[in-house]
Amino acid sequence: MVSPEPLSDSSNSALVRLRALLDESSFDGEQRLPAERVLAAQIGIGRRALRRALEVLEAEGRIWRHQGKGTFLGPRPARAPTSLDELSKRTHPLEVMDVRLEIEPALARLAAMRATNGDIERLLHLAEKTASSSDADGRELWDSALHRTIAEAAGNSLLLAIFDLVDRIRQDTTWRLLRERARSGNRQQLYVEQHRRVIAAIAQREAHAAEQAMREHLELVRDSLLKVMTSPLPARIDGEIPAKMMSANTKNERHHGT
Amino acid sequence: MVSPEPLSDSSNSALVRLRALLDESSFDGEQRLPAERVLAAQIGIGRRALRRALEVLEAEGRIWRHQGKGTFLGPRPARAPTSLDELSKRTHPLEVMDVRLEIEPALARLAAMRATNGDIERLLHLAEKTASSSDADGRELWDSALHRTIAEAAGNSLLLAIFDLVDRIRQDTTWRLLRERARSGNRQQLYVEQHRRVIAAIAQREAHAAEQAMREHLELVRDSLLKVMTSPLPARIDGEIPAKMMSANTKNERHHGT
DNA sequence: CGCCGAACCAGTTGCATATTGGTTCGGTCT
DNA sequence: AGACCGAACCAATATGCAACTGGTTCGGCG
């Protein structure tokens, strides 16, 4: 068929010659093919023409490229499912807060039921430290330790591992400035009070109260985060917020109908 | 009173002086304190004596050290990510069921709120497949796909990743024989009915009903697993069951959103 | 107008180097 | 003999730099 041909002759010949190279398996055993500059010189075409040909091949899925790494044969390797970087890149802060709202109240409840006296002692100690810490960095450090100690006290190693996973994503670089701005809001005193309430409930073995207190605390944290993110400041973390993911369990009454 | 003193005078004085430094917050804002060689020179003691003092402080949890990094104030930060193998090795089946009981009802609730019509269509399709499947292997396959589709429909990629993590542990080799024995109990028909109920609730957007139905389903699964594990058969999965971890949320009614 | 070479930008890798805590050794003083 | 010290070494980490990579822009040229 004679379709309109946007590519020039030389580009086209480059594509043909590249396809021939790939088909002949001229790079036997070699997953990686030469750098663009080298390859262009070998074939005897310009780098620009070569790149257009490579674009086609990449769109076809026959090769894949990555800046700084090179060009490789075969389909793009699947992402490691639990690779922290990948996961944190494609995870939105509000998603993380939703997950924390699902997990940490449960952790607090379990901690209230199963914490040892030693756990409770450590929690009380941490609460003091958090309150007495003056600078923001120190507060965040002790706060993190506090939440994790509760997770430990829950006595479920898998749930603890999940907590760590979420926490690692939360502490990723992208969030740094976000948290700095979030904690500028002077809610620190309220946070301290909420922490105290959670710990008290755990110490008194009141599972439901611990769960509820933790949920209220995290809801406040999320609202604070939300406020920061929707603030008129032009510097947004990420342009797109998937519509599905929008936080939706502030008051999750039953949805009837529609 | 003159208690036996294992430490020498100089070490002791080093410890006293170090404690003074930390209490006075001489390292305000600085999480990291000077290198051992420097610090020893500053205090005017030998490095060996300094190190003994640091050991005490580390045991007390006031500092933490790591080779090549340095010595830091505060509690030791969360440790490195746990690989799947490691995690799976020291995770007990009942722990996994407890985690599923925490996460999957929440997933069902979110799915009821945010599932697309396409999601629901797929769920209905899967329900048919699961019911019509005759052999046990096929049933398990469809069952797994069903649970994961619900997790997808929840629309939180991080929560989905966590679900996958748990699911991968659940499908680890150690569990194979356990599941074989568990499904020998003729509860399959009941499982199918429970699945149907969960899907119906999601399709009708009844978040609370979906959550509750999923919880009931998983509780039955866990009870079935528990029965198999405590059966008189000598082949136990793992010798030790930490007392803390014993399942303890059979009847904890939940209060979401107050 | 299309193409080319060249330069520049940005992400990645590797290596040499410096610094850290961890350890061992011999000398020295009490 | 035991406690201490300085020095050196070991191993893990951090850091900076050079050398690539693909991605992009620019001026020149036919």
Side-chain angles (χ1 to χ4, degrees), chain A residues 179-196:
Chain A
R179 283 209 305 278
E180 279 176 13
R181 292 174 53 199
R183 71 190 176 200
S184 67
N186 220 344
R187 293 174 138 148
Q188 295 304 332
Q189 200 52 44
L190 186 48
Y191 286 167
V192 168
E193 175 56 30
Q194 287 181 327
H195 282 161
R196 216 172 257 138

Side-chain angles (χ1 to χ4, degrees), chain B:
Chain B
M1 84 180 190
V2 254
S3 65
E5 186 51 70
L7 269 56
S8 75
D9 277 334
S10 74
S11 289
N12 212 342
S13 96
L15 184 53
V16 169
R17 298 179 68 172
L18 259 186
R19 251 190 243 281
L21 277 180
L22 266 60
D23 288 336
E24 294 163 5
S25 295
S26 303
F27 306 100
D28 272 338
E30 288 292 339
Q31 299 187 5
R32 176 181 187 166
L33 40 84
E36 291 184 356
R37 294 162 176 84
V38 178
L39 197 54
Q42 282 183 2
I43 302 183
I45 59 176
R47 193 173 159 223
R48 193 184 177 108
L50 172 67
R51 282 182 56 72
R52 265 197 298 219
L54 289 177
E55 281 171 19
V56 176
L57 293 176
E58 185 176 26
E60 288 175 0
R62 306 188 50 158
I63 63 170
W64 64 276
R65 304 179 286 175
H66 191 57
Q67 183 178 150
K69 279 184 169 178
T71 306
F72 303 85
L73 297 178
R76 182 180 299 272
R79 69 171 178 278
T82 45
S83 73
L84 188 61
D85 292 342
E86 283 299 322
L87 198 57
S88 156
K89 274 176 193 163
R90 58 161 162 259
T91 303
H92 193 278
L94 285 183
E95 276 186 314
V96 177
M97 279 313 302
D98 280 355
V99 172
R100 291 186 69 189
L101 263 164
E102 299 293 349
I103 291 182
E104 297 205 34
L107 283 169
R109 168 168 46 83
L110 293 173
M113 294 189 292
R114 317 204 268 220
T116 66
N117 290 337
D119 290 332
I120 292 174
E121 198 171 322
R122 273 188 297 162
L123 283 176
L124 294 173
H125 182 68
L126 279 174
E128 288 177 20
K129 287 291 184 183
T130 311
S132 69
S133 174
S134 56
D135 60 306
D137 263 345
R139 254 198 311 268
E140 187 162 332
L141 205 66
W142 288 114
D143 176 281
S144 178
L146 174 61
H147 280 261
R148 192 179 193 280
T149 303
I150 294 175
E152 284 178 14
N156 184 315
S157 63
L158 177 55
L159 214 43
L160 177 60
I162 291 174
F163 172 86
D164 280 337
L165 174 69
V166 175
D167 201 47
R168 242 172 285 136
I169 292 177
R170 193 176 64 88
Q171 289 182 1
D172 209 349
T173 53
T174 322
W175 296 54
R176 290 291 156 84
L177 61 134
L178 206 61
R179 283 208 304 278
E180 280 177 13
R181 292 173 52 197
R183 71 190 175 200
S184 67
N186 220 343
R187 290 171 141 152
Q188 295 304 333
Q189 200 51 45
L190 187 47
Y191 286 167
V192 168
E193 175 54 30
Q194 287 181 327
H195 281 161
R196 213 173 259 138
R197 216 173 301 164
V198 172
I199 295 173
I202 292 176
Q204 296 174 21
R205 308 292 183 182
E206 294 174 357
H208 179 63
E211 178 179 356
Q212 193 57 29
M214 177 65 89
R215 179 170 295 116
E216 283 170 9
H217 170 51
L218 290 176
E219 279 170 355
L220 184 62
V221 172
R222 185 190 55 188
D223 291 345
S224 168
L225 182 69
L226 197 70
K227 193 170 295 179
V228 168
M229 293 182 59
T230 55
S231 71
L233 244 161
R236 280 182 304 179
I237 290 296
D238 199 357
E240 42 188 345
I241 300 180
K244 270 178 109 180
M245 187 229 48
M246 280 307 294
S247 186
N249 49 3
T250 332
K251 280 188 186 297
N252 50 338
E253 73 270 49
R254 317 290 295 283
H255 318 265
H256 281 291
T258 328

